Amino acid sequence: MRNIVPTGSLMVLVLFSVLLFGKAEIYIVTLEGEPVVSYKGGIEGFEATAVEPDSDEKIDVTSELVLSYAHHLEKRHDMLLAMLFEEGTYKKLYSYRHLINGFAVHISPEQAETLGRAPGVKSVERDWKVTKLTTHTPQFLGLPTGVWPTGGGFDRAGEDIVIGFVDSGIYPHHPSFATHNTDPYGPVPKYRGKCEVDPDTKRDFCNGKIVGAQHFAEAAKAAGAFNPDIDFDSPLDGDGHGSHTAAIAAGNNGVPVRLCGFEFGKASGMAPRARIAVYKALYRIFGGFVADVVAAIDQAVHDGVDILNLSVGPNSPPATTKTTFLNPFDATLLSAVKAGVFVVQAAGNGGPFPKTVLSYSPWIASVAAAVDDRRYKNHLTLGNGNILAGIGLSPATHGNKTFTLVAANDVLLDSSVAKYSPSDCQRPEVLNKNLVEGNILLCGYSFNFVVGTASIKRVSDTAKTLGAVGFVLAVENASPGTKFDPVPVSTPGILITDVSKSMELIDYYNVSTPRDWTGRVKSFKAVGSIGEGLKPILHKSAPQVALFSARGPNIKDYSFRDADLLKPDILAPGSLIWAAWAPNGTDEPNYVGEGFAMISGTSMATPHIAGIAALVKQKNPHWSPAAIKSALMTTSTTLDRAERPLQAQQYSGSETMSLVPATPFDYGSGHVNPRAALDPGLIFDAGYEDYLGFLCTTPGIDALEIRNYTHTPCNYTLGHPSNLNTPSITISHLVGTQTVTRTVTNVAEEETYTITARMAPAVAIETSPPAMTLKHGMSRKFSVTLTARSVTGTYSFGEVLLKGSRGHKVRIPVVAMGYYK
């Protein structure tokens, strides 16, 4: 996941800082005066550049009007700094002109104080850091048969839609982004981004599929965090994460996934014909800085992307803003949405605990992660006949033979190597090849694997170097939340993740391995064989909400008070996702040097929604971001493939995982259904003015703060924030009875809808009218009345269903906590 700032003319916020030159730090400064996106005129010599809110018209950033006004703003930034400070005592990193009016600058705290007192300066904030929120899914989602044919097949799916990725860059030579086996790509006139040139190869990063490639590292460099040897001073992906997310959303169709001499199927993006625009602002060691990310988002919107994918989020709450909806990311993204860009962001990986969502605002599509129907399982058969389950993407040991088991700690070359954690099996040179060769090597899964200093890939390499026929990694203790993913290896191997099964293995090994009085092994008598784990098992219990996926309730401020807005919005596959990888990427130690990786995170779920949104946008090019989000949400499903209610992975006890009934705080509206999203029947539309009304109506938000960010007074309210026209209803404090209204617009043929509702017993629900008929393009209001029947101190869940006479079903979740008057 990642972050950004203002809207219209939004003020930039800031964050937590980093390394310094002397005492200097990075500050984000916002100034009075409108940015390009919201300037309505008034300055002599500069005509208005803003377009009417919620109109189909887009700002022409190449026009003389826009270029002239943007240059005027940048000149003002430079003049202000030159007037206050001596040359050489500061360094301006970026001028922000399109979404916010301000700049990023590297100065001392004393200079920041001087700047904060200068006329026309609205805010001076320290920068903070952001972090990444880190195949088979097209078939699981029904894309090849149900969606792609309606758009002309996979070779036209997403045609001419540009998806911008603010991430760790791209590996442009990957087959997922190649153009030699596809129809030629024509120009995309609406997109105006540029392609940087690789400083080493002197070739640019674009090829028709990739239409833009830029990188943003001024803040990282000023902070002293940037290392050009590993971070690459170009759009090249030195991490892997950026290539992975781009391929999930828009990678080519049918690319063979080959690793370790095996093929694990074929990978495809959700919208294989969509174009990719790269805005690198994340780096593999330190993540990123908000100043760089804001610059990347500002540039992406200026360049004309249709969709913005943010698999990134804040490391911590901002230091100055109390309101979640006005943190730098959300505030800047409001301006992006005003410019007509559909913004999708990872919900966060802090699950399964409540209030861990890191994407807060109604103008953003916040994506939770699901486990899809594919599981890779394996087993170890012991000489005593016991079969121990585990995971391992590996071939089996040969034939029906059993092989001797030897523990790493029993085959050390000498006792002096104990300091190297030999049981991790990371260093073949400390183990005795004569004792390991031809046998199965037993290793221990230590904390080193959790922090990334040890990897399963290196265990496999050790086994291969020593001539072992395979390896077993036993987990002897696990912290709550430890996630074990299968890793492809070329040698037979298995990870025993269940501590009790590991103990069973260790007991069998000890009983079968006689030792002398010093503890040295006399002979190795334990035997076993490793099963074949290369083929996935498909489960009907999918999808499930992944354990790590961040949960609601949503919060309206950093005191963690509940918001009257549901988050996350939607659920998409995010666990064990195969996609492209950068061969020089080190984000995952198990995939160093590989061309593909299978990784998990809401980072992986987000580009699924970005790609599916591209398909919706392709079919409906004039739809607003809210309309696209509505189509995705109202057509989603709350049932798994066996037609049972969705379940969520959760902790039971201290360390074991169980499945519990999922709620909208886990999945939002439900799991995405691409086929239905292309034909939603009705949409719940909203625009910039509605979002301002939501902000102005939310209790506890200072109207001055809203004006600072939006340059707009609070002269429009909704009565209650839950009246915002979203495809969900949330009332965090339901006292007595409350009625909310929603407006739907028919985007299909004329149809009559019956409206029904159901709710948990603690809250009564009624809808009005009971039915309505809408012609194509027509909008109608309906109301939902909620009454608290009892005070339970917990949320009640329900839904409103609009069932159409022509077969459309439109469902919105309802969430409320009741209080007596």
Side-chain angles (χ1 to χ4, degrees):
M1 301 181 25
R2 289 152 198 192
N3 271 58
I4 135 181
V5 182
T7 132
S9 98
L10 280 202
M11 154 187 132
V12 176
L13 258 111
V14 231
L15 320 113
F16 179 71
S17 176
V18 322
L19 307 168
L20 11 156
F21 289 149
K23 290 165 66 178
E25 298 185 30
I26 300 160
Y27 292 85
I28 297 176
V29 181
T30 53
L31 306 179
E32 290 175 3
E34 304 280 355
V36 166
V37 76
S38 55
Y39 172 60
K40 294 174 183 168
I43 301 174
E44 192 178 345
F46 299 99
E47 291 183 40
T49 54
V51 296
E52 283 303 307
D54 312 328
S55 74
D56 278 347
E57 191 186 349
K58 283 201 171 187
I59 293 173
D60 177 7
V61 296
T62 61
S63 72
E64 188 54 42
L65 286 179
V66 169
L67 293 172
S68 171
Y69 183 66
H71 180 66
H72 161 75
L73 292 180
E74 185 160 4
K75 232 167 89 177
R76 278 187 57 208
H77 304 164
D78 295 339
M79 284 170 61
L80 175 66
L81 288 166
M83 181 180 73
L84 292 175
F85 309 124
E86 285 184 30
E87 191 177 344
T89 65
Y90 67 90
K91 183 181 181 187
K92 188 186 76 170
L93 307 176
Y94 299 106
S95 271
Y96 304 126
R97 303 161 302 170
H98 300 101
L99 302 183
I100 57 177
N101 175 20
F103 53 85
V105 64
H106 193 234
I107 50 176
S108 70
E110 293 77 15
Q111 287 174 302
E113 281 186 34
T114 302
L115 193 51
R117 292 192 295 267
V121 173
K122 289 164 64 176
S123 68
V124 178
E125 311 278 1
R126 266 190 327 179
D127 196 2
W128 69 345
K129 276 188 172 181
V130 296
T131 186
K132 300 182 297 282
L133 297 177
T134 297
T135 144
H136 162 82
T137 45
Q139 284 76 17
F140 175 66
L141 293 168
L143 285 165
T145 55
V147 177
W148 288 347
T150 65
F154 72 82
D155 54 346
R156 288 290 172 265
E159 185 77 72
D160 290 343
I161 302 297
V162 180
I163 307 176
F165 296 88
V166 177
D167 215 298
S168 66
I170 198 161
Y171 182 68
H173 314 298
H174 196 280
S176 288
F177 313 124
T179 55
H180 47 264
N181 289 327
T182 63
D183 285 350
Y185 284 95
V188 188
K190 66 186 177 187
Y191 181 74
R192 297 163 294 271
K194 65 180 182 183
C195 286
E196 291 183 20
V197 172
D198 188 319
D200 295 326
T201 65
K202 307 304 179 197
R203 291 164 55 193
D204 74 34
F205 282 78
C206 296
N207 60 3
K209 170 79 172 170
I210 302 169
V211 291
Q214 299 169 64
H215 80 294
F216 302 82
E218 294 305 315
K221 289 174 182 176
F226 187 86
N227 178 349
D229 292 335
I230 59 170
D231 293 317
F232 303 118
D233 207 358
S234 77
L236 186 64
D237 187 1
D239 175 287
H241 191 273
S243 301
H244 201 270
T245 55
I248 291 170
N252 290 329
N253 180 59
V255 178
V257 178
R258 292 197 183 99
L259 285 91
C260 305
F262 305 104
E263 186 174 308
F264 293 96
K266 302 224 170 7
S268 171
M270 299 294 102
R273 191 70 180 173
R275 312 298 181 96
I276 293 167
V278 177
Y279 298 88
K280 177 178 170 181
L282 300 172
Y283 298 87
R284 61 194 188 187
I285 304 296
F286 56 86
F289 292 85
V290 169
D292 290 330
V293 174
V294 169
I297 292 167
D298 192 64
Q299 189 65 49
V301 175
H302 168 272
D303 291 345
V305 301
D306 296 296
I307 292 162
L308 197 55
N309 183 92
L310 295 167
S311 292
V312 56
N315 281 358
S316 57
T320 52
T321 306
K322 297 185 182 72
T323 307
T324 51
F325 310 125
L326 293 177
N327 81 71
F329 267 26
D330 292 46
T332 305
L333 291 171
L334 177 52
S335 282
V337 170
K338 183 180 184 181
V341 178
F342 179 79
V343 177
V344 55
Q345 185 182 24
N349 293 343
F353 307 107
K355 297 190 179 182
T356 47
V357 167
L358 294 174
S359 178
Y360 311 102
S361 297
W363 47 88
I364 300 168
S366 309
V367 187
V371 177
D372 70 13
D373 61 347
R374 196 171 30 105
R375 313 278 196 281
Y376 288 97
K377 295 189 174 178
N378 206 339
H379 61 274
L380 172 69
T381 304
L382 300 178
N384 60 9
N386 288 357
I387 297 174
L388 307 183
I391 55 176
L393 260 173
S394 82
T397 47
H398 306 299
N400 293 321
K401 291 170 60 179
T402 59
F403 297 87
T404 302
L405 305 178
V406 298
N409 280 341
D410 288 331
V411 294
L412 305 183
L413 280 174
D414 62 66
S415 58
S416 68
V417 302
K419 62 185 176 187
Y420 296 118
S421 303
S423 65
D424 285 358
C425 299
Q426 300 296 289
R427 294 167 170 256
E429 66 272 17
V430 304
L431 304 178
N432 187 331
K433 182 172 182 176
N434 294 329
L435 295 176
V436 176
E437 197 164 14
N439 299 322
I440 294 174
L441 180 62
L442 299 187
C443 310
Y445 190 94
S446 70
F447 186 66
N448 293 337
F449 288 88
V450 180
V451 298
T453 54
S455 72
I456 295 173
K457 181 182 170 71
R458 288 218 295 273
V459 176
S460 175
D461 291 344
T462 295
K464 204 183 298 181
T465 301
L466 297 174
V469 298
F471 67 88
V472 179
L473 253 178
V475 177
E476 295 178 60
N477 51 61
S479 325
T482 305
K483 192 162 63 73
F484 301 105
D485 287 347
V487 174
V489 289
S490 56
T491 49
I494 186 169
L495 173 64
I496 309 291
T497 58
D498 184 327
V499 173
S500 65
K501 300 292 182 194
S502 293
M503 291 302 118
E504 203 176 312
L505 165 63
I506 291 164
D507 290 344
Y508 165 70
Y509 178 80
N510 285 336
V511 166
S512 308
T513 308
R515 301 172 186 272
D516 64 18
W517 65 273
T518 66
R520 185 174 297 156
V521 174
K522 290 204 259 182
S523 59
F524 294 98
K525 297 291 178 67
V527 296
S529 61
I530 296 168
E532 196 258 305
L534 292 171
K535 292 187 174 63
I537 299 163
L538 303 182
H539 279 253
K540 279 201 167 177
S541 60
Q544 298 163 357
V545 181
L547 187 71
F548 58 81
S549 186
R551 309 296 211 260
N554 191 17
I555 55 171
K556 66 181 179 183
D557 57 37
Y558 292 105
S559 301
F560 287 84
R561 291 187 297 171
D562 293 14
D564 293 304
L565 178 74
L566 182 64
K567 288 287 174 176
D569 290 309
I570 197 161
L571 184 67
S575 180
L576 306 183
I577 305 299
W578 279 115
W581 199 246
N584 45 16
T586 58
D587 190 44
E588 292 283 338
N590 288 312
Y591 294 98
V592 173
E594 301 291 357
F596 291 90
M598 181 174 62
I599 56 178
S600 302
T602 51
S603 275
M604 283 62 252
T606 303
H608 281 91
I609 295 299
I612 295 164
L615 302 177
V616 177
K617 176 89 174 173
Q618 180 187 13
K619 187 180 177 189
N620 307 282
H622 300 296
W623 276 14
S624 69
I628 296 171
K629 181 177 163 184
S630 171
L632 294 166
M633 288 178 66
T634 61
T635 58
S636 61
T637 179
T638 56
L639 301 176
D640 66 18
R641 293 187 69 172
E643 296 295 312
R644 295 176 302 223
L646 288 177
Q647 294 182 296
Q649 296 181 347
Q650 183 57 266
Y651 288 129
S652 61
S654 61
E655 293 176 8
T656 56
M657 191 195 79
S658 63
L659 292 171
V660 299
T663 75
F665 289 149
D666 304 317
Y667 56 63
S669 58
H671 191 277
V672 65
N673 179 348
R675 185 185 312 194
L678 289 178
D679 183 21
L682 303 175
I683 56 167
F684 295 73
D685 211 349
Y688 184 70
E689 300 291 339
D690 302 296
Y691 297 136
L692 289 183
F694 169 80
L695 291 171
C696 293
T697 312
T698 298
I701 302 186
D702 182 350
L704 201 61
E705 193 177 13
I706 296 169
R707 184 167 188 152
N708 255 357
Y709 278 87
T710 64
H711 295 274
T712 308
C714 272
N715 52 14
Y716 169 54
T717 76
L718 305 172
H720 190 276
S722 58
N723 282 324
L724 178 65
N725 202 43
T726 57
S728 63
I729 295 171
T730 302
I731 303 175
S732 62
H733 199 92
L734 175 64
V735 179
T737 296
Q738 187 174 324
T739 298
V740 299
T741 58
R742 288 292 183 271
T743 302
V744 289
T745 302
N746 186 7
V747 292
E749 299 301 312
E750 180 175 334
E751 195 164 3
T752 298
Y753 285 86
T754 56
I755 307 175
T756 57
R758 61 184 181 85
M759 197 78 190
V763 174
I765 187 167
E766 293 176 7
T767 58
S768 177
M772 55 190 184
T773 300
L774 296 92
K775 293 181 176 171
H776 175 74
M778 184 178 175
S779 297
R780 287 280 301 272
K781 287 184 187 296
F782 68 92
S783 64
V784 180
T785 301
L786 300 169
T787 303
R789 282 178 170 160
S790 61
V791 178
T792 61
T794 58
Y795 277 96
S796 297
F797 303 102
E799 66 180 23
V800 174
L801 182 65
L802 294 88
K803 200 167 180 183
S805 55
R806 298 169 62 91
H808 290 107
K809 285 182 183 174
V810 177
R811 185 185 49 79
I812 65 170
V814 181
V815 176
M817 188 189 293
Y819 294 83
Y820 288 131
K821 274 190 176 176

